[in-house]
Amino acid sequence: ASEKVQARVEKFEMEFHTREVKEMYHERAALSVAEQESLGVPSLVPPIEQMRRSMLAVLVERLQKTADNIQTIFFTGKYESGKRKKRKLVILGSGWASYAMIKMVDCSIWDIQVVSPRNYFLFTPLLASSSVGTVEFRSITEPIRQSNERVEYVEAECLYVDPTRKVLTCAPVHKAERNSRTLEVGYDQLVVAVGAQTGTFGVDGVQQHCHFLRGIDDAHRLRRAIVEIFEKANLDIYPEEQKRKLLSFVIVGGGPTGCEFAGELCDLVRNDLTRFFPLLVNLVSIRLLQSRSSILTEFDASLREQALANFQKSGVNVMSNSKVVRVTKDNIFLRDGAEIPFGLCVWAAGNAPTNIAENLVASIPDQAKRRGGRILVDDYLRVIGLKDVFAIGDCSEMASGDLPASAQVAVQQGAYLSRLLNKLARDKESSNIRSGSSARPFRFLSLGFLAYIGNNRALAQIKLHNRQLKLAGRFAFLLWRLVYLSKQVSTRNRVLVLADWLKTLFFGRDISQI
C-alpha cells in the first residue's frame, strides 16, 4: 500500500511548484481518510484516493451539479424569503466569479448583497473586439440588477475588511461623496471576488503614457484614440516621417489579450481604415512585444507557430525576448538598449492584485509576508487565516497549486462556492469544514483555450478526455465565435453580439469618434 501511495505522490508532485506545498502534499497524501479526520483540521490537500477520479466521473458530477443549479434557479420560490431568517452573504465584485455565484446561489436561504463599483457584468473575451468596433460595448455587458432581481446591489468600492466585526468599510463611487462619506456593510459570510488589475511591474511611464484593455472605459478610450491618430496623420501639416511615427502601434504583452487586440487592430486597418485613409495604410506599423521567447504560452508549440505565421502574413512584427524597462511620451525603451517610437501603446503585459486584495492579505498574519498580493485559499476556497471569508477568481491563489487567471477558472470557482454555501446552509453546517464533511474540495476541470489572431482565424486547443484537439485557421475561428456566442450570459447579449457581427460583415466598423 505504501508503494502505491508513493507512486501516486510522485505522479502529482510535478503539479506543485513550491517547496512548502510539496512538503504539505507529502504529509497529507500519506495519510488515510480516517487519519485525516482524526486530525480535526481542514484538509488543504485532499487524500490521493479522492484526487484519482477519472474524467468521466468528473463530467458526470458536473452534470449532476448543473441539474442542481437549474433547480435552484428556476424552482426556488421567489417569495419564500419571508418564511425564515436568512444569513447575509456579501459578494465583493461583479466579474466572472461573482456573476456565477449570483446566478446559482439559493436566494431562499441567503440574503445576498453585491458590493462593486461597477454595476454590470462584462464579457471580457470580446473586449478587444469592442475596442475596434467589431462589437458594441453594451452588447457584451449585463446589468447586475437584471441578472438576479432577488440580489441587492450596492454601488460602492470596498476599502477595508474588518473580519473581527464582520463589517466592510466602503466608499461611494460618485465623485461628490467619494472623499467625504463612507458606509459600513455587515456580513455573515463574505466572498471576495474583486478580480485583478493590469500589472505595470514597476515600469516607469506605463501609467502615464500607455492604454490598457481591462474594462469598458479602457476600450472606449482606445477605440477613440485609434481613429483620432488616423485623423491627425491625415492632416497635411505633418511630414511623412512624423506620420509614420503617429501610425506606429505597439502592443506590450504576448498573451491572449495582446494577441487578440493585435488581430482585431489588423482587421480594422485592413478592412475599414483602408477605405477611408488609403494614403496612410502603407505607413502603418504594428509591433507585438513579448518578454518571453514565445507568445500565447498556454497553447501547444504547433499552434504558437501558426499564430506567428498568421501575424507575419498580416503585417504584425512579433518581437520576442523584448522586455520593456521604460516608457516615455513617444518612445519605448527595451532592456537590450533598443528604442521604439510609437503613436499609441497598449499595455497588456499581465495582472496585478487590486488594492483591496493587497490590503486584505497584509491584514492576515498568516499571509502578510507572502509576495504577489493574491489571497491564499485552501481547497474549499476559504481564505487561510480568516473565518467565514472566501476568495475566488483572479484575486485568489490556491495553496495546493496555482491555477491560470482565466474566466474559466473563475466561473467554476463561483459555481462551486455557490453550491457549497447552499449545501452548508441547508445542512446547517458552518464554513469550518473538516475532512470528514460531505463537502468535496474544489477541482478545476480545464476545457481548453481559444484565441483570435486576426484575419478571420483563431486557435483552439480543446481537452477531450486524455487527448487534446488542436485547431487553427478559419474552422477554429468559427468554433471561437460559436463558443463565445453560446457563452453570453443572456439571450439579449447573444442577439446583440450576433447582430454586431452581421453589421460589421455587411457595413463595416463604425469609426465615429463618440
Side-chain angles (χ1 to χ4, degrees):
S2 60
E3 293 178 356
K4 291 182 179 180
V5 170
Q6 182 64 28
R8 291 173 180 174
V9 168
E10 292 176 355
K11 184 174 182 180
F12 286 102
E13 192 173 356
M14 297 299 295
E15 296 180 17
F16 304 101
H17 56 277
T18 63
R19 181 178 178 181
E20 292 78 10
V21 175
K22 284 183 181 179
E23 292 176 354
M24 177 178 62
Y25 181 80
H26 277 284
E27 292 175 0
R28 293 295 178 88
L31 301 177
S32 65
V33 177
E35 290 172 328
Q36 289 196 26
E37 290 177 355
S38 65
L39 292 176
V41 295
S43 176
L44 296 182
V45 179
I48 289 180
E49 55 263 30
Q50 293 183 15
M51 300 183 67
R52 289 285 294 175
R53 290 188 296 161
S54 66
M55 181 66 69
L56 179 60
V58 173
L59 291 175
V60 171
E61 179 186 333
R62 293 297 167 91
L63 289 175
Q64 293 174 343
K65 292 177 179 178
T66 301
D68 293 338
N69 294 337
I70 294 174
Q71 181 180 2
T72 299
I73 295 171
F74 294 103
F75 298 101
T76 297
K78 185 173 183 179
Y79 301 103
E80 189 181 347
S81 58
K83 297 181 181 180
R84 68 176 80 177
K85 183 178 179 180
K86 298 184 292 185
R87 302 181 69 196
K88 187 174 182 181
L89 172 64
V90 175
I91 304 173
L92 291 181
S94 55
W96 283 96
S98 302
Y99 194 86
M101 285 205 66
I102 293 169
K103 283 292 190 181
M104 298 180 185
V105 74
D106 193 341
C107 296
S108 68
I109 300 176
W110 294 99
D111 179 15
I112 306 165
Q113 193 172 55
V114 177
V115 179
S116 174
R118 192 182 71 186
N119 73 340
Y120 58 88
F121 164 80
L122 172 63
F123 191 85
T124 50
L126 290 181
L127 191 60
S129 297
S130 70
S131 68
V132 299
T134 306
V135 298
E136 296 299 329
F137 304 122
R138 293 189 181 274
S139 300
I140 58 174
T141 60
E142 176 81 357
I144 291 298
R145 298 182 186 274
Q146 187 173 327
S147 61
N148 189 336
E149 297 179 359
R150 291 171 284 174
V151 170
E152 181 185 356
Y153 169 73
V154 177
E155 189 175 57
E157 181 181 2
C158 181
L159 304 177
Y160 178 72
V161 179
D162 186 347
T164 304
R165 297 171 53 217
K166 290 192 173 182
V167 169
L168 310 177
T169 301
C170 305
V173 297
H174 313 95
K175 293 182 180 179
E177 294 86 9
R178 180 171 179 82
N179 296 324
S180 59
R181 298 183 180 181
T182 60
L183 66 150
E184 290 189 343
V185 178
Y187 68 87
D188 292 312
Q189 297 284 343
L190 174 64
V191 178
V192 182
V194 293
Q197 60 185 349
T198 303
T200 62
F201 307 104
V203 178
D204 184 39
V206 173
Q207 289 284 358
Q208 296 82 4
H209 307 298
C210 294
H211 286 265
F212 300 102
L213 199 52
R214 196 77 195 182
I216 287 293
D217 293 339
D218 298 328
H220 188 271
R221 284 191 292 266
L222 187 53
R223 182 173 175 179
R224 182 181 177 86
I226 293 171
V227 178
E228 186 177 312
I229 284 177
F230 273 85
E231 295 289 3
K232 185 177 180 180
N234 194 49
L235 300 176
D236 293 333
I237 61 175
Y238 297 105
E240 181 176 316
E241 190 62 30
Q242 182 66 18
K243 291 183 178 182
R244 287 186 182 276
K245 185 175 181 180
L246 282 172
L247 297 172
S248 174
F249 297 91
V250 178
I251 300 108
V252 181
T257 301
C259 290
E260 290 192 339
F261 176 72
E264 293 282 0
L265 181 60
C266 286
D267 292 347
L268 173 65
V269 173
R270 181 179 59 252
N271 299 333
D272 299 281
L273 297 179
T274 300
R275 293 186 294 147
F276 304 115
F277 305 97
L279 300 180
L280 299 179
V281 174
N282 292 331
L283 304 179
V284 175
S285 65
I286 302 175
R287 295 182 177 90
L288 179 62
L289 307 184
Q290 168 68 321
S291 60
R292 300 182 182 182
S293 59
S294 179
I295 61 174
L296 297 171
T297 54
E298 302 90 345
F299 289 85
D300 183 77
S302 61
L303 295 180
R304 297 200 298 266
E305 290 297 326
Q306 295 193 54
L308 287 171
N310 184 75
F311 280 137
Q312 184 178 6
K313 183 179 179 181
S314 301
V316 178
N317 181 15
V318 179
M319 301 173 61
S320 57
N321 297 314
S322 300
K323 184 175 178 59
V324 178
V325 295
R326 185 162 64 94
V327 180
T328 63
K329 182 180 179 181
D330 302 310
N331 295 280
I332 291 177
F333 297 89
L334 304 182
R335 183 168 55 183
D336 60 6
E339 181 178 340
I340 302 174
F342 69 88
L344 185 144
C345 177
V346 177
W347 187 273
N351 297 330
T354 59
N355 293 333
I356 181 61
E358 288 185 322
N359 293 339
L360 182 60
V361 169
S363 67
I364 305 173
D366 294 343
Q367 301 191 33
K369 296 182 180 180
R370 293 183 63 251
R371 295 182 179 180
R374 295 173 68 185
I375 305 169
L376 193 67
V377 299
D378 62 17
D379 284 342
Y380 298 96
L381 306 182
R382 298 168 299 179
V383 176
I384 295 177
L386 292 181
K387 183 180 179 181
D388 296 329
V389 181
F390 299 83
I392 54 178
D394 292 353
C395 68
S396 66
E397 178 181 352
M398 296 191 68
S400 57
D402 197 14
L403 296 174
S406 66
Q408 191 178 155
V409 173
V411 168
Q412 291 187 28
Q413 287 183 334
Y416 165 85
L417 186 54
S418 65
R419 289 189 293 264
L420 178 64
L421 291 175
N422 290 342
K423 177 179 176 57
L424 295 179
R426 293 192 187 106
D427 298 344
K428 298 181 179 180
E429 295 183 32
S430 69
S431 61
N432 188 26
I433 309 164
R434 298 181 180 274
S435 58
S437 171
S438 59
R440 290 183 176 179
F442 172 76
R443 184 183 181 188
F444 173 58
L445 176 63
S446 177
L447 302 177
F449 307 98
L450 296 170
Y452 181 64
I453 54 176
N455 197 23
N456 292 340
R457 287 169 171 80
L459 305 179
Q461 182 171 306
I462 303 172
K463 190 172 183 179
L464 299 173
H465 194 41
N466 294 326
R467 300 181 181 180
Q468 286 189 338
L469 177 64
K470 304 170 188 176
L471 300 172
R474 295 188 183 275
F475 183 75
F477 168 69
L478 178 61
L479 179 63
W480 176 81
R481 283 206 159 176
L482 289 175
V483 169
Y484 281 178
L485 188 64
S486 67
K487 289 296 182 180
Q488 296 298 315
V489 296
S490 68
T491 303
R492 165 189 167 273
N493 290 112
R494 294 185 188 95
V495 172
L496 291 175
V497 168
L498 181 59
D500 288 342
W501 283 341
L502 294 175
K503 181 182 65 176
T504 299
L505 177 63
F506 291 109
F507 304 107
R509 296 167 179 82
D510 187 354
I511 63 169
S512 303
Q513 294 189 63
I514 300 175

